Amino acid sequence: MNSLNQVVSLLELSPPPFIFINDPIAPKFTIQSLLIALQNKIRLVQIDGISCFTPRLLYDTILNGLSQHTPSWDDGCKNWSEETSNDSMDSFLRALKALHASLCAANSEQRERLALVIEKPERLKERMPDLLAPLTRLAELTRIDLSVVLVSEVRWEDIRPPLGAAIDPYYVDIPVPTKEIIIEHLVKVVEKNSSNSDLASTSTMPHPYDPALQQTYKHFVHILTDVCFLYTNDPHEIQYISAARWPGFIKPVLDAHRMNVEAAEGEDEVEFERPSAEVLLRLTRHFKPSLSLALEQLYPRLTNAVDWARANVSDAASLAKDGLILGDAVMDDEEEEEDTVNEMLLSSPTRSRSSRRIQEQKAAQDLSSSNLKDTLPLSASLPRLSQFILVAAYIASVNPVKSDLRLFGRGADEKKRRRRPAKRQMANAKPKSGSVKIPQRFLGPSPFPLERLIAILGALVEENDSNASEVNDSRNNPSDLLDFRIAGERTDYEVTRVGVYASIAQLTSLRLLVRTTSADKLDGLSAMFKCGSGAPSSYETILDLAKGLGVPLPDLIWDNAAMG
């Protein structure tokens, strides 16, 4: 960050009296980097514009920070000040001059340079607008070597005092942190924490932030940054997600070492070995999906890191499936070991996993396997509205668009327009020459727009569900306040409510409906769906649902002559 390095050089050599740093992405990261770079070089203090909500708090915080004085209960929580009080700007300026004089007297070899780093100065403008202009002129008012640094997410033009009361700052724009800067920051934070005495390893059992795991943590940070960088560039947010997922990520390795230590009781001391590249690939494959989940729940603070980590602990079955149960659980049998190696090769990132993914999807989605249809039919497991949606989706998938008006159209006399019965071909009639048209149900379901599904659903509910137990529920229904005079108008209103769309989304998650368009594209096009594959979307299953709903499905299929 060249801009931040320029600020550090200015404060060390010839600081301007007022510096304004604009960082709309990560102001806390900028302040932390600034404090680390200037540590033991100049005397500075960090002030939070949120916590200092009165002038007295602001004055005492500045004086206590510059003098490195910490109030304690033994001396009555007294603040550092040679004045009787700091109730006004004049008394604060006199106390600040006295503090600088005492510091220069204590260190006569070099001149003391002071710096104030104020975070969220826009809060000072909201609560104490009269103090913002004097703070920018502290060096001029006190005649001491002092620099004021404001770090904010907003620009200086938005918080500048009126009438030119404040001096013009040395303006610095901080660019967006890159992946390399974020990774470097996260690794440095772990190195600093691992050197603390509280986290130092006192035995052969390492902890998640042990120095021996720094390379493994760097690998984890690379993966986490790739997942989160598209949505946030704030290193502190990524560090918060890392604190929630890293202990669970490294837990299988630590458990394996613990089992090896327990198995080697009375023998030589077992040294901790860093995870190999093979183990890192397994860990990455197992925990990478949970990183997106952590981002979705922790970045907007839907939960905290401790509760999320406790709720997302990997069970032994899933770890064993990915070959992460190590230590004593390692298989000794040669055939089992060969199967483990084959599974590891199939799941390697350098090998195509399309065949393995297809097999897993078939095992999870093929509801026709076993006798699931007999034990739990769709008519018993789905609500009535969802059954109507499945029947409407099947009709939309097998019928052409031109048949909708003929099958479900309604005239002004409220009579439904039905398709005339097809004429049967004589046995001795000559077949027509040309290509044979294959019915749509043999070609598979065709996609249809969401609006067409809603229209067919409304026609089915209007004609075959007189009670409308779920769609036209009269309890707390806002449609009761409306005046519907045209036949079918009430049903058209009800089928466009949120509950219908929620049922469609639920059927899509169950793979009974398949969305053919991408859900993240906002190009104005209608969402396209089609019936899912397998037994739940077959003609026989939909026919059973239609019979239970009282829907004459054979009369509503355009290719009913091919149904046999």
Side-chain angles (χ1 to χ4, degrees):
M1 302 178 66
N2 296 328
S3 301
L4 191 59
N5 293 334
Q6 293 177 3
V7 174
V8 174
S9 300
L10 279 175
L11 291 176
E12 290 180 356
L13 301 176
S14 178
F18 178 34
I19 301 175
F20 187 87
I21 301 177
N22 176 240
D23 188 355
I25 303 298
K28 290 185 178 180
F29 170 67
T30 300
I31 292 177
Q32 185 177 3
S33 302
L34 189 64
L35 295 178
I36 294 175
L38 295 174
Q39 189 176 10
N40 300 327
K41 295 181 179 179
I42 63 175
R43 187 179 292 266
L44 53 82
V45 60
Q46 178 186 358
I47 299 99
D48 188 2
I50 297 178
S51 59
C52 299
F53 51 87
T54 63
R56 179 67 181 270
L57 282 175
L58 179 64
Y59 301 153
D60 290 338
T61 303
I62 294 175
L63 294 175
N64 291 336
L66 291 177
S67 62
Q68 299 179 355
H69 171 74
T70 303
S72 62
W73 287 102
D74 297 335
D75 57 358
C77 295
K78 293 182 179 180
N79 297 309
W80 187 96
S81 177
E82 294 186 1
E83 299 288 334
T84 57
S85 64
N86 289 324
D87 296 333
S88 63
M89 175 61 70
D90 293 336
S91 60
F92 168 68
L93 293 178
R94 288 195 298 268
L96 190 59
K97 291 180 181 179
L99 172 63
H100 184 263
S102 63
L103 293 177
C104 292
N107 188 9
S108 58
E109 297 181 357
Q110 58 182 1
R111 187 177 181 182
E112 285 289 344
R113 178 169 295 165
L114 308 181
L116 309 181
V117 181
I118 303 178
E119 181 184 2
K120 295 186 179 300
E122 63 273 10
R123 295 297 187 92
L124 298 180
K125 181 185 179 182
E126 296 173 1
R127 296 170 178 173
M128 299 172 288
D130 297 336
L131 290 183
L132 195 58
L135 284 178
T136 62
R137 295 178 175 269
L138 274 183
E140 177 184 349
L141 296 174
T142 57
R143 304 287 183 175
I144 61 176
D145 190 0
L146 183 144
S147 180
V148 178
V149 182
L150 303 185
V151 183
S152 177
E153 299 177 0
V154 301
R155 301 187 68 83
W156 171 243
E157 290 76 8
D158 299 330
I159 61 176
R160 179 198 297 269
L163 304 177
I167 62 176
D168 293 332
Y170 182 86
Y171 200 92
V172 179
D173 273 320
I174 301 297
V176 178
T178 61
K179 287 185 179 180
E180 292 74 14
I181 294 177
I182 296 175
I183 294 172
E184 182 182 359
H185 171 73
L186 296 180
V187 173
K188 284 184 177 179
V189 169
V190 171
E191 291 178 354
K192 181 180 179 181
N193 293 336
S194 61
S195 61
N196 295 337
S197 58
D198 296 339
L199 294 177
S201 298
T202 57
S203 62
T204 58
M205 299 302 298
H207 54 78
Y209 295 97
D210 195 274
L213 294 172
Q214 288 184 3
Q215 294 298 326
T216 307
Y217 181 76
K218 189 174 183 179
H219 171 80
F220 168 78
V221 167
H222 273 277
I223 301 172
L224 179 62
T225 306
D226 290 339
V227 174
C228 301
F229 191 77
L230 182 63
Y231 305 97
T232 176
N233 308 110
D234 192 347
H236 283 270
E237 295 292 343
I238 301 179
Q239 181 181 351
Y240 187 75
I241 300 174
S242 172
R245 182 72 283 185
W246 167 248
F249 182 88
I250 202 62
K251 186 176 182 296
V253 178
L254 300 180
D255 291 345
H257 178 69
R258 176 180 54 80
M259 289 187 292
N260 292 335
V261 171
E262 293 176 356
E265 291 183 355
E267 300 179 3
D268 296 338
E269 183 177 337
V270 179
E271 295 183 359
F272 178 75
E273 297 181 358
R274 290 187 300 177
S276 61
E278 174 186 323
V279 175
L280 287 179
L281 291 178
R282 295 185 187 181
L283 291 170
T284 303
R285 184 180 70 246
H286 180 79
F287 287 99
K288 191 173 183 179
S290 65
L291 299 180
S292 301
L293 180 62
L295 175 66
E296 294 174 0
Q297 296 185 2
L298 295 178
Y299 182 52
R301 294 300 189 271
L302 300 179
T303 182
N304 58 77
V306 177
D307 292 341
W308 186 91
R310 188 182 297 112
N312 291 270
V313 176
S314 299
D315 55 350
S318 60
L319 293 175
K321 182 179 178 181
D322 290 336
L324 293 176
I325 301 296
L326 307 175
D328 293 338
V330 177
M331 296 177 296
D332 296 330
D333 187 73
E334 295 180 356
E335 296 180 358
E336 293 180 351
E337 186 176 358
E338 183 178 359
D339 294 339
T340 304
V341 174
N342 293 335
E343 181 182 358
M344 180 190 63
L345 292 176
L346 287 175
S347 60
S348 174
T350 59
R351 183 183 179 90
S352 176
R353 293 182 291 177
S354 58
S355 60
R356 186 170 181 264
R357 185 178 298 131
I358 292 175
Q359 293 177 359
E360 293 178 354
Q361 291 178 353
K362 287 183 178 180
Q365 300 174 8
D366 191 7
L367 301 179
S368 61
S369 60
S370 73
N371 55 353
L372 181 60
K373 179 182 175 181
D374 299 331
T375 59
L376 189 61
L378 293 179
S379 58
S381 59
L382 292 178
R384 185 176 178 84
L385 176 59
S386 299
Q387 298 179 34
F388 268 107
I389 294 175
L390 278 183
V391 175
Y394 183 81
I395 295 174
S397 290
V398 299
N399 284 356
V401 180
K402 64 180 181 181
S403 65
D404 293 347
L405 183 61
R406 301 183 184 182
L407 293 175
F408 305 104
R410 180 184 296 274
D413 56 352
E414 301 184 6
K415 292 183 179 180
K416 188 178 179 182
R417 299 172 58 183
R418 294 281 186 176
R419 177 194 174 196
R420 292 179 295 177
K423 297 181 180 180
R424 293 186 176 273
Q425 190 176 3
M426 302 300 294
N428 55 357
K430 295 182 180 180
K432 296 181 180 180
S433 60
S435 59
V436 179
K437 183 178 180 181
I438 302 177
Q440 182 63 37
R441 75 185 189 98
F442 295 118
L443 297 176
S446 59
F448 52 85
L450 178 62
E451 290 78 4
R452 187 185 176 202
L453 173 63
I454 297 297
I456 297 177
L457 174 63
L460 292 179
V461 172
E462 178 69 20
E463 293 295 331
N464 305 281
D465 192 20
S466 58
N467 296 328
S469 58
E470 293 192 19
V471 179
N472 293 335
D473 191 359
S474 60
R475 295 173 299 177
N476 300 326
N477 198 337
S479 63
D480 295 338
L481 304 177
L482 303 177
D483 185 15
F484 298 108
R485 300 181 179 180
I486 303 176
E489 187 178 5
R490 181 187 180 93
T491 303
D492 293 340
Y493 172 81
E494 294 290 344
V495 297
T496 56
R497 297 180 64 183
V498 177
V500 177
Y501 293 100
S503 300
I504 295 175
Q506 182 182 13
L507 293 174
T508 304
S509 64
L510 295 175
R511 304 297 295 178
L512 297 175
L513 290 180
V514 178
R515 179 164 183 162
T516 59
T517 55
S518 179
D520 55 353
K521 289 185 177 181
L522 302 176
D523 52 1
L525 300 178
S526 175
M528 302 291 291
F529 294 87
K530 69 176 182 178
C531 288
S533 58
S537 300
S538 63
Y539 174 73
E540 291 77 12
T541 304
I542 302 299
L543 182 61
D544 292 340
L545 290 178
K547 289 180 180 179
L549 300 173
V551 178
L553 183 64
D555 296 339
L556 301 177
I557 301 300
W558 191 252
D559 295 328
N560 58 357
M563 295 295 178

